[in-house]
Amino acid sequence: MNDLTEQMKVCLASVFAFYLKTHNFHWNVEGPNFPQYHSFLDGLYNDIWESVDKFGEQIRTLNSYAPGSLSRFTTLSVIDDQLNIPSALKMIKELEMDNKKLIEELKKANTLAEKSNAVGLANFLQDRIDTHYKHDWMLRSIGKA
Ligand SMILES: [Fe+2]
């Protein structure tokens, strides 16, 4: 169960970092297609945000404490911080790559959950993987030159 708990913490921190970056890009994106980018990113960050709480609660269900500080998230997350304001297209490309990384981490957690017979958690993770595949489709399609 320990590996699963640790992997879930990596997922929580990475999902939170991805959420924050998406919201950051929603605020700061610029260019002639601003309305489309701004509103697409709104939908994206809202979906990710809604999932954050569930990751924390699943960790508590596994009888561990959920990390909830920026320093812990920085240590645990696989998503790199973006301190600059990239162009709109570069933002989308970066989110596409981050989302792919996230899918890999969610898959690792799912494999561990299945091994531990944590059926509800595996269901939750599979739903999230599916949703992130949908995000991959959209990010890929927007980012196609
Ligand atoms: Fe907004």
Side-chain angles (χ1 to χ4, degrees), residues 23 26-27 38 42 45:
H23 208 146
H26 163 81
W27 288 325
H38 184 66
D42 183 284
Y45 83 67

Side-chain angles (χ1 to χ4, degrees), residues 75-93:
T75 309
L76 289 162
S77 169
V78 300
I79 305 298
D80 292 331
D81 239 355
Q82 176 52 271
L83 302 177
N84 300 308
I85 311 293
S87 70
L89 207 56
K90 281 192 175 150
M91 284 180 178
I92 296 296
K93 287 275 181 203

Side-chain angles (χ1 to χ4, degrees), residues 11-24:
C11 287
L12 169 60
S14 304
V15 166
F16 190 92
F18 186 66
Y19 151 73
L20 184 59
K21 191 188 278 188
T22 308
H23 208 146
N24 170 12

